[in-house]
Amino acid sequence: MSDFPLSAGGARRPLSGSRRALTAGALGVLGVVTALATTLPANAAASTLGAAAAQSGRYFGTAIAAGHMNDSTYVATWDREFNSVTAENEMKWGPIEPSRNSFNWGSADQIVNHAVSKGMKVRGHTLVWHAQLPSWINNNMSASDLRSAMTNHITQVMNHYKGKVYAWDVVNEAFNDGGAVGTLRSSIFTQKLGNGFIEEAFRAARAADPNVKLCYNDYNIDNATAAKTQGVYNMVKDFKARGVPIDCVGLQSHFGNPPSNYQQNIAQFAALGVDVQITELDVGGSGSTQADAYRRVVQACTAVPRCAGITVWGITDKWSWRSGDTPLLFDGNFNKKQAYNSVLDALNAATPNTSPSPSASPSRSPSASPSASPSASPSASPSASPTRSPLPGGCSATIKTINSWGGGFQSEVTVQAGSSAVNGWTVKWTWPSGQSISSLWNGRQSTSGSSVTVTNETYNGSIAAGGSTTFGFTANGNAATPTATCTSP
Ligand code: G2I
């Protein structure tokens, strides 16, 4: 049975959270001042998609086809509007490894090198997919031969783009469209390697590059109640529980309208402790109907702190894979459509906040935070624990709730050094009512019953006098902000 948090009837809305305010008593006892919510200045409206998205710590990308890069308007529009890119076809297994262990980097490099020279992010698409495979991957291969071909492919391609790619679609479109929750599409991978091929691919990817985000990417997983969505949700939950490396879920989002529970769906995936990326957005239609649908997609993403960015599947309608639906933001002459303006406005309306971006792996250093307006976020309820005054040379810790939903919440913990620099820190607290951490980043956790202990990672143990660092977590249960203690050796 599915353990997806939303029943097929859609009755449960995971958007309400309990709110715990500071009590006067706690303040009186501890005699401290705690900043609850940071007041942020209003954004100055940005005039391009990438700049507007960057205001809330996100990216706005497009798929690019190397074959069109000789069109100067295409490249100029890409450079002006977007700060991330996905190669539309050039990194797929067939195009990039046409003969076994012989790689054709040319077209993909053309896109990546251009993007890097402009300071753009790059999404890698895609390592293991049943489509666009080279002809040398075929049924004559034994399971062990296919396995070693898959591992070699993942390793070689990831090595080639190490340091340039921000996130990889490690496995693409592995789930069935219809049928029971959790069933996979039959492919050469399921036939030869079994359903475990997904896990094998993610483990091989992590071994190849510990510092890149590893995504599972699929279409028709936009609706929280769909069986396909629930299957992917259960897989991510299982991966997290068993320590199989996964950092993000890609919602392709090829549709005519976002489902009404789209934001809830994004929040539920995020609550598992992964980033969500909208990876191949295109919305069929025209005029205000299309503009409105695009606006709702952007609002849904910017409402969820771990929705890290949006990629549209092409720039101009004339070169879209579904050009008959006119699904993109620029018409065939690269004119901005109504949908463009609604996306720009919605991105500009997202208020930045200070929640951390969970890192790709335990060894990854902290990075800037994709996060959203506290007011737009589902039941965002900034509440924070009391902070003990740091002793000279000591440290203090404050727990703040930054997002909550039925049955879970996300918190940010600020660790602050006192009047001397800190070299190594340990933060402890006790859960008041059965809460449990499901995923924690930028710290190392050990738990004993209701007692939680978090120590620094190697990269964030040193804090200058008066400085601070943060770690974050998602947890099960009602949002709580217990008093935390901080010690340093
Ligand atoms: O089908 C839409 C997308 C669904 N999710 C995964 C994406 O990777 C996929 O992208 C599309 C590309 O937009 C198309 O451009 O993937 C198609 C292949 O399944 C791409 O189509 C291929 C044609 O099938 C080839 O005949 C053609 O040579 O595009 C190639 C380059 O134009």
Side-chain angles (χ1 to χ4, degrees):
M1 210 185 81
S2 161
D3 56 359
F4 196 75
L6 184 76
S7 67
R12 277 174 61 188
R13 286 185 60 78
L15 302 182
S16 68
S18 72
R19 288 150 202 237
R20 181 171 294 249
L22 287 176
T23 64
L27 279 172
V29 168
L30 296 167
V32 295
V33 177
T34 304
L36 292 183
T38 311
T39 308
L40 294 154
N43 295 335
S47 60
T48 65
L49 302 171
Q55 293 177 131
S56 69
R58 296 184 171 81
Y59 62 85
F60 201 94
T62 180
I64 285 287
H68 297 312
M69 282 177 67
N70 55 5
D71 183 300
S72 59
T73 313
Y74 181 71
V75 175
T77 310
W78 174 22
D79 291 349
R80 187 186 72 231
E81 296 289 342
F82 300 93
N83 55 10
S84 176
V85 69
T86 305
E88 186 170 356
N89 289 294
E90 293 76 357
M91 288 188 185
K92 293 170 181 174
W93 199 332
I96 212 162
E97 194 184 357
S99 318
R100 189 164 185 170
N101 205 31
S102 166
F103 293 84
N104 174 14
W105 308 114
S107 322
D109 279 359
Q110 208 186 330
I111 295 172
V112 172
N113 292 342
H114 184 91
V116 168
S117 77
K118 301 288 177 185
M120 296 180 191
K121 276 183 153 62
V122 179
R123 293 196 79 262
H125 176 80
T126 175
L127 295 164
V128 180
W129 186 29
H130 65 274
Q132 285 177 283
L133 284 169
S135 55
W136 60 269
I137 295 280
N138 59 50
N139 276 319
N140 300 329
M141 297 174 90
S142 67
S144 65
D145 203 19
L146 178 62
R147 179 173 286 117
S148 71
M150 181 175 86
T151 306
N152 185 59
H153 174 72
I154 290 170
T155 308
Q156 301 294 332
V157 175
M158 288 184 73
N159 278 344
H160 186 78
Y161 291 110
K162 203 173 272 188
K164 296 179 177 170
V165 165
Y166 152 79
W168 272 105
D169 291 332
V170 178
V171 175
N172 193 45
E173 301 177 4
F175 278 69
N176 250 337
D177 261 320
V181 170
T183 51
L184 299 190
R185 166 199 304 277
S186 176
S187 69
I188 190 166
F189 302 109
T190 56
Q191 287 156 23
K192 302 267 179 187
L193 306 179
N195 292 357
F197 88 89
I198 303 180
E199 176 172 347
E200 289 188 47
F202 274 87
R203 289 192 187 280
R206 176 54 79 234
D209 187 347
N211 295 317
V212 71
K213 294 203 182 233
L214 306 179
C215 303
Y216 176 78
N217 190 51
D218 214 328
Y219 63 92
N220 284 353
I221 57 167
D222 312 300
N223 188 323
T225 64
K228 187 172 178 182
T229 310
Q230 298 185 9
V232 175
Y233 178 92
N234 291 342
M235 176 188 76
V236 175
K237 186 172 185 183
D238 170 61
F239 277 18
K240 282 293 189 185
R242 292 190 298 112
V244 180
I246 185 166
D247 304 301
C248 35
V249 172
L251 308 184
Q252 291 186 6
S253 303
H254 298 291
F255 44 47
N257 238 324
S260 59
N261 59 24
Y262 190 59
Q263 178 179 324
Q264 183 177 342
N265 189 41
I266 295 171
Q268 287 178 172
F269 273 117
L272 293 175
V274 288
D275 284 357
V276 176
Q277 304 179 3
I278 297 173
T279 52
E280 303 182 14
L281 179 65
D282 52 13
V283 183
S286 62
S288 61
T289 312
Q290 182 182 46
D292 189 52
Y294 262 108
R295 178 182 52 72
R296 280 183 282 119
V297 171
V298 175
Q299 287 175 337
C301 176
T302 54
V304 181
R306 289 198 73 166
C307 185
I310 299 173
T311 302
V312 286
W313 205 239
I315 297 178
T316 162
D317 282 341
K318 71 174 166 180
W319 292 329
S320 163
W321 71 295
R322 50 186 287 220
S323 61
D325 295 337
T326 59
L328 295 173
L329 301 177
F330 293 84
D331 70 16
N333 295 316
F334 293 97
N335 296 313
K336 295 170 182 173
K337 294 164 60 178
Q338 199 173 336
Y340 171 95
N341 292 319
S342 70
V343 167
L344 183 66
D345 290 348
L347 291 170
N348 272 319
T351 311
N353 70 17
T354 53
S355 88
S357 174
S359 51
S361 74
S363 60
R364 190 183 162 92
S365 57
S367 57
S369 155
S371 54
S373 158
S375 58
S377 125
S379 79
S381 52
S383 64
S385 62
T387 310
R388 293 184 192 280
S389 299
L391 299 167
C395 54
S396 66
T398 312
I399 304 176
K400 184 170 76 170
T401 305
I402 60 165
N403 194 8
S404 63
W405 51 91
F409 59 102
Q410 182 178 342
S411 300
E412 176 183 85
V413 184
T414 302
V415 182
Q416 180 152 27
S419 53
S420 312
V422 154
N423 200 358
W425 45 262
T426 300
V427 173
K428 296 187 182 191
W429 69 87
T430 304
W431 289 123
S433 47
Q435 290 84 355
S436 62
I437 290 178
S438 45
S439 172
L440 185 137
W441 52 93
N442 295 344
R444 296 177 191 194
Q445 179 206 166
S446 62
T447 299
S448 165
S450 60
S451 301
V452 180
T453 302
V454 180
T455 54
N456 59 279
E457 290 281 6
T458 49
Y459 55 76
N460 62 4
S462 300
I463 310 175
S468 65
T469 188
T470 61
F471 65 88
F473 60 83
T474 52
N476 303 310
N478 289 332
T481 52
T483 304
T485 62
C486 183
T487 52
S488 61

mmCIF file with all atom_site columns, all heavy atoms in Angstrom, residues 48-63:
data_model
loop_
_atom_site.group_PDB
_atom_site.id
_atom_site.type_symbol
_atom_site.label_atom_id
_atom_site.label_alt_id
_atom_site.label_comp_id
_atom_site.label_asym_id
_atom_site.label_entity_id
_atom_site.label_seq_id
_atom_site.pdbx_PDB_ins_code
_atom_site.Cartn_x
_atom_site.Cartn_y
_atom_site.Cartn_z
_atom_site.occupancy
_atom_site.B_iso_or_equiv
_atom_site.pdbx_formal_charge
_atom_site.auth_seq_id
_atom_site.auth_comp_id
_atom_site.auth_asym_id
_atom_site.auth_atom_id
_atom_site.pdbx_PDB_model_num
ATOM 1   N N   . THR A 1 48 ? 14.662 40.578 -16.261 1.00 0.00 ? 48 THR A N   1
ATOM 2   C CA  . THR A 1 48 ? 14.846 39.329 -17.002 1.00 0.00 ? 48 THR A CA  1
ATOM 3   C C   . THR A 1 48 ? 14.496 38.154 -16.099 1.00 0.00 ? 48 THR A C   1
ATOM 4   O O   . THR A 1 48 ? 14.507 38.280 -14.870 1.00 0.00 ? 48 THR A O   1
ATOM 5   C CB  . THR A 1 48 ? 16.304 39.156 -17.479 1.00 0.00 ? 48 THR A CB  1
ATOM 6   O OG1 . THR A 1 48 ? 17.154 39.018 -16.328 1.00 0.00 ? 48 THR A OG1 1
ATOM 7   C CG2 . THR A 1 48 ? 16.760 40.325 -18.329 1.00 0.00 ? 48 THR A CG2 1
ATOM 8   N N   . LEU A 1 49 ? 14.220 37.016 -16.708 1.00 0.00 ? 49 LEU A N   1
ATOM 9   C CA  . LEU A 1 49 ? 13.753 35.858 -15.941 1.00 0.00 ? 49 LEU A CA  1
ATOM 10  C C   . LEU A 1 49 ? 14.822 35.392 -14.949 1.00 0.00 ? 49 LEU A C   1
ATOM 11  O O   . LEU A 1 49 ? 14.538 35.122 -13.786 1.00 0.00 ? 49 LEU A O   1
ATOM 12  C CB  . LEU A 1 49 ? 13.376 34.722 -16.904 1.00 0.00 ? 49 LEU A CB  1
ATOM 13  C CG  . LEU A 1 49 ? 12.300 35.075 -17.937 1.00 0.00 ? 49 LEU A CG  1
ATOM 14  C CD1 . LEU A 1 49 ? 12.167 33.956 -18.985 1.00 0.00 ? 49 LEU A CD1 1
ATOM 15  C CD2 . LEU A 1 49 ? 10.952 35.328 -17.256 1.00 0.00 ? 49 LEU A CD2 1
ATOM 16  N N   . GLY A 1 50 ? 16.053 35.271 -15.421 1.00 0.00 ? 50 GLY A N   1
ATOM 17  C CA  . GLY A 1 50 ? 17.123 34.779 -14.558 1.00 0.00 ? 50 GLY A CA  1
ATOM 18  C C   . GLY A 1 50 ? 17.364 35.702 -13.383 1.00 0.00 ? 50 GLY A C   1
ATOM 19  O O   . GLY A 1 50 ? 17.486 35.256 -12.238 1.00 0.00 ? 50 GLY A O   1
ATOM 20  N N   . ALA A 1 51 ? 17.411 37.002 -13.644 1.00 0.00 ? 51 ALA A N   1
ATOM 21  C CA  . ALA A 1 51 ? 17.656 37.957 -12.556 1.00 0.00 ? 51 ALA A CA  1
ATOM 22  C C   . ALA A 1 51 ? 16.492 37.970 -11.584 1.00 0.00 ? 51 ALA A C   1
ATOM 23  O O   . ALA A 1 51 ? 16.690 38.076 -10.369 1.00 0.00 ? 51 ALA A O   1
ATOM 24  C CB  . ALA A 1 51 ? 17.889 39.350 -13.135 1.00 0.00 ? 51 ALA A CB  1
ATOM 25  N N   . ALA A 1 52 ? 15.280 37.836 -12.093 1.00 0.00 ? 52 ALA A N   1
ATOM 26  C CA  . ALA A 1 52 ? 14.109 37.834 -11.203 1.00 0.00 ? 52 ALA A CA  1
ATOM 27  C C   . ALA A 1 52 ? 14.128 36.593 -10.317 1.00 0.00 ? 52 ALA A C   1
ATOM 28  O O   . ALA A 1 52 ? 13.853 36.661 -9.117  1.00 0.00 ? 52 ALA A O   1
ATOM 29  C CB  . ALA A 1 52 ? 12.830 37.899 -12.026 1.00 0.00 ? 52 ALA A CB  1
ATOM 30  N N   . ALA A 1 53 ? 14.485 35.438 -10.900 1.00 0.00 ? 53 ALA A N   1
ATOM 31  C CA  . ALA A 1 53 ? 14.533 34.202 -10.109 1.00 0.00 ? 53 ALA A CA  1
ATOM 32  C C   . ALA A 1 53 ? 15.643 34.265 -9.072  1.00 0.00 ? 53 ALA A C   1
ATOM 33  O O   . ALA A 1 53 ? 15.494 33.770 -7.950  1.00 0.00 ? 53 ALA A O   1
ATOM 34  C CB  . ALA A 1 53 ? 14.734 32.996 -11.030 1.00 0.00 ? 53 ALA A CB  1
ATOM 35  N N   . ALA A 1 54 ? 16.755 34.889 -9.433  1.00 0.00 ? 54 ALA A N   1
ATOM 36  C CA  . ALA A 1 54 ? 17.904 34.951 -8.525  1.00 0.00 ? 54 ALA A CA  1
ATOM 37  C C   . ALA A 1 54 ? 17.577 35.714 -7.247  1.00 0.00 ? 54 ALA A C   1
ATOM 38  O O   . ALA A 1 54 ? 18.189 35.487 -6.207  1.00 0.00 ? 54 ALA A O   1
ATOM 39  C CB  . ALA A 1 54 ? 19.091 35.595 -9.237  1.00 0.00 ? 54 ALA A CB  1
ATOM 40  N N   . GLN A 1 55 ? 16.588 36.599 -7.314  1.00 0.00 ? 55 GLN A N   1
ATOM 41  C CA  . GLN A 1 55 ? 16.235 37.377 -6.115  1.00 0.00 ? 55 GLN A CA  1
ATOM 42  C C   . GLN A 1 55 ? 15.753 36.502 -4.972  1.00 0.00 ? 55 GLN A C   1
ATOM 43  O O   . GLN A 1 55 ? 15.854 36.871 -3.813  1.00 0.00 ? 55 GLN A O   1
ATOM 44  C CB  . GLN A 1 55 ? 15.148 38.400 -6.460  1.00 0.00 ? 55 GLN A CB  1
ATOM 45  C CG  . GLN A 1 55 ? 15.634 39.476 -7.394  1.00 0.00 ? 55 GLN A CG  1
ATOM 46  C CD  . GLN A 1 55 ? 14.525 40.435 -7.766  1.00 0.00 ? 55 GLN A CD  1
ATOM 47  O OE1 . GLN A 1 55 ? 14.690 41.642 -7.696  1.00 0.00 ? 55 GLN A OE1 1
ATOM 48  N NE2 . GLN A 1 55 ? 13.381 39.906 -8.151  1.00 0.00 ? 55 GLN A NE2 1
ATOM 49  N N   . SER A 1 56 ? 15.179 35.345 -5.307  1.00 0.00 ? 56 SER A N   1
ATOM 50  C CA  . SER A 1 56 ? 14.771 34.447 -4.221  1.00 0.00 ? 56 SER A CA  1
ATOM 51  C C   . SER A 1 56 ? 15.700 33.231 -4.163  1.00 0.00 ? 56 SER A C   1
ATOM 52  O O   . SER A 1 56 ? 15.333 32.173 -3.647  1.00 0.00 ? 56 SER A O   1
ATOM 53  C CB  . SER A 1 56 ? 13.304 34.022 -4.374  1.00 0.00 ? 56 SER A CB  1
ATOM 54  O OG  . SER A 1 56 ? 13.129 33.169 -5.482  1.00 0.00 ? 56 SER A OG  1
ATOM 55  N N   . GLY A 1 57 ? 16.914 33.383 -4.720  1.00 0.00 ? 57 GLY A N   1
ATOM 56  C CA  . GLY A 1 57 ? 17.908 32.320 -4.617  1.00 0.00 ? 57 GLY A CA  1
ATOM 57  C C   . GLY A 1 57 ? 17.675 31.178 -5.583  1.00 0.00 ? 57 GLY A C   1
ATOM 58  O O   . GLY A 1 57 ? 18.231 30.092 -5.404  1.00 0.00 ? 57 GLY A O   1
ATOM 59  N N   . ARG A 1 58 ? 16.891 31.426 -6.616  1.00 0.00 ? 58 ARG A N   1
ATOM 60  C CA  . ARG A 1 58 ? 16.588 30.351 -7.571  1.00 0.00 ? 58 ARG A CA  1
ATOM 61  C C   . ARG A 1 58 ? 17.230 30.644 -8.925  1.00 0.00 ? 58 ARG A C   1
ATOM 62  O O   . ARG A 1 58 ? 17.747 31.721 -9.161  1.00 0.00 ? 58 ARG A O   1
ATOM 63  C CB  . ARG A 1 58 ? 15.079 30.210 -7.745  1.00 0.00 ? 58 ARG A CB  1
ATOM 64  C CG  . ARG A 1 58 ? 14.389 29.786 -6.470  1.00 0.00 ? 58 ARG A CG  1
ATOM 65  C CD  . ARG A 1 58 ? 12.902 29.556 -6.689  1.00 0.00 ? 58 ARG A CD  1
ATOM 66  N NE  . ARG A 1 58 ? 12.327 28.944 -5.513  1.00 0.00 ? 58 ARG A NE  1
ATOM 67  C CZ  . ARG A 1 58 ? 11.962 29.608 -4.418  1.00 0.00 ? 58 ARG A CZ  1
ATOM 68  N NH1 . ARG A 1 58 ? 12.069 30.906 -4.383  1.00 0.00 ? 58 ARG A NH1 1
ATOM 69  N NH2 . ARG A 1 58 ? 11.482 28.969 -3.373  1.00 0.00 ? 58 ARG A NH2 1
ATOM 70  N N   . TYR A 1 59 ? 17.159 29.640 -9.803  1.00 0.00 ? 59 TYR A N   1
ATOM 71  C CA  . TYR A 1 59 ? 17.598 29.861 -11.174 1.00 0.00 ? 59 TYR A CA  1
ATOM 72  C C   . TYR A 1 59 ? 16.389 29.764 -12.094 1.00 0.00 ? 59 TYR A C   1
ATOM 73  O O   . TYR A 1 59 ? 15.354 29.183 -11.727 1.00 0.00 ? 59 TYR A O   1
ATOM 74  C CB  . TYR A 1 59 ? 18.674 28.843 -11.586 1.00 0.00 ? 59 TYR A CB  1
ATOM 75  C CG  . TYR A 1 59 ? 18.184 27.417 -11.561 1.00 0.00 ? 59 TYR A CG  1
ATOM 76  C CD1 . TYR A 1 59 ? 17.507 26.874 -12.669 1.00 0.00 ? 59 TYR A CD1 1
ATOM 77  C CD2 . TYR A 1 59 ? 18.363 26.611 -10.440 1.00 0.00 ? 59 TYR A CD2 1
ATOM 78  C CE1 . TYR A 1 59 ? 17.037 25.580 -12.639 1.00 0.00 ? 59 TYR A CE1 1
ATOM 79  C CE2 . TYR A 1 59 ? 17.893 25.308 -10.409 1.00 0.00 ? 59 TYR A CE2 1
ATOM 80  C CZ  . TYR A 1 59 ? 17.218 24.799 -11.510 1.00 0.00 ? 59 TYR A CZ  1
ATOM 81  O OH  . TYR A 1 59 ? 16.741 23.511 -11.479 1.00 0.00 ? 59 TYR A OH  1
ATOM 82  N N   . PHE A 1 60 ? 16.527 30.322 -13.293 1.00 0.00 ? 60 PHE A N   1
ATOM 83  C CA  . PHE A 1 60 ? 15.509 30.124 -14.326 1.00 0.00 ? 60 PHE A CA  1
ATOM 84  C C   . PHE A 1 60 ? 16.252 29.725 -15.596 1.00 0.00 ? 60 PHE A C   1
ATOM 85  O O   . PHE A 1 60 ? 17.048 30.488 -16.134 1.00 0.00 ? 60 PHE A O   1
ATOM 86  C CB  . PHE A 1 60 ? 14.662 31.386 -14.541 1.00 0.00 ? 60 PHE A CB  1
ATOM 87  C CG  . PHE A 1 60 ? 13.344 31.078 -15.190 1.00 0.00 ? 60 PHE A CG  1
ATOM 88  C CD1 . PHE A 1 60 ? 12.209 30.872 -14.417 1.00 0.00 ? 60 PHE A CD1 1
ATOM 89  C CD2 . PHE A 1 60 ? 13.250 30.930 -16.571 1.00 0.00 ? 60 PHE A CD2 1
ATOM 90  C CE1 . PHE A 1 60 ? 10.984 30.533 -14.998 1.00 0.00 ? 60 PHE A CE1 1
ATOM 91  C CE2 . PHE A 1 60 ? 12.032 30.598 -17.162 1.00 0.00 ? 60 PHE A CE2 1
ATOM 92  C CZ  . PHE A 1 60 ? 10.897 30.405 -16.373 1.00 0.00 ? 60 PHE A CZ  1
ATOM 93  N N   . GLY A 1 61 ? 16.032 28.492 -16.033 1.00 0.00 ? 61 GLY A N   1
ATOM 94  C CA  . GLY A 1 61 ? 16.815 27.940 -17.135 1.00 0.00 ? 61 GLY A CA  1
ATOM 95  C C   . GLY A 1 61 ? 15.979 27.600 -18.350 1.00 0.00 ? 61 GLY A C   1
ATOM 96  O O   . GLY A 1 61 ? 14.751 27.678 -18.335 1.00 0.00 ? 61 GLY A O   1
ATOM 97  N N   . THR A 1 62 ? 16.675 27.209 -19.400 1.00 0.00 ? 62 THR A N   1
ATOM 98  C CA  . THR A 1 62 ? 16.011 26.741 -20.618 1.00 0.00 ? 62 THR A CA  1
ATOM 99  C C   . THR A 1 62 ? 16.760 25.548 -21.191 1.00 0.00 ? 62 THR A C   1
ATOM 100 O O   . THR A 1 62 ? 17.968 25.403 -20.968 1.00 0.00 ? 62 THR A O   1
ATOM 101 C CB  . THR A 1 62 ? 15.953 27.848 -21.691 1.00 0.00 ? 62 THR A CB  1
ATOM 102 O OG1 . THR A 1 62 ? 15.296 27.321 -22.867 1.00 0.00 ? 62 THR A OG1 1
ATOM 103 C CG2 . THR A 1 62 ? 17.347 28.332 -22.102 1.00 0.00 ? 62 THR A CG2 1
ATOM 104 N N   . ALA A 1 63 ? 16.039 24.710 -21.925 1.00 0.00 ? 63 ALA A N   1
ATOM 105 C CA  . ALA A 1 63 ? 16.714 23.710 -22.754 1.00 0.00 ? 63 ALA A CA  1
ATOM 106 C C   . ALA A 1 63 ? 17.266 24.420 -23.983 1.00 0.00 ? 63 ALA A C   1
ATOM 107 O O   . ALA A 1 63 ? 16.641 25.344 -24.517 1.00 0.00 ? 63 ALA A O   1
ATOM 108 C CB  . ALA A 1 63 ? 15.730 22.624 -23.179 1.00 0.00 ? 63 ALA A CB  1
#
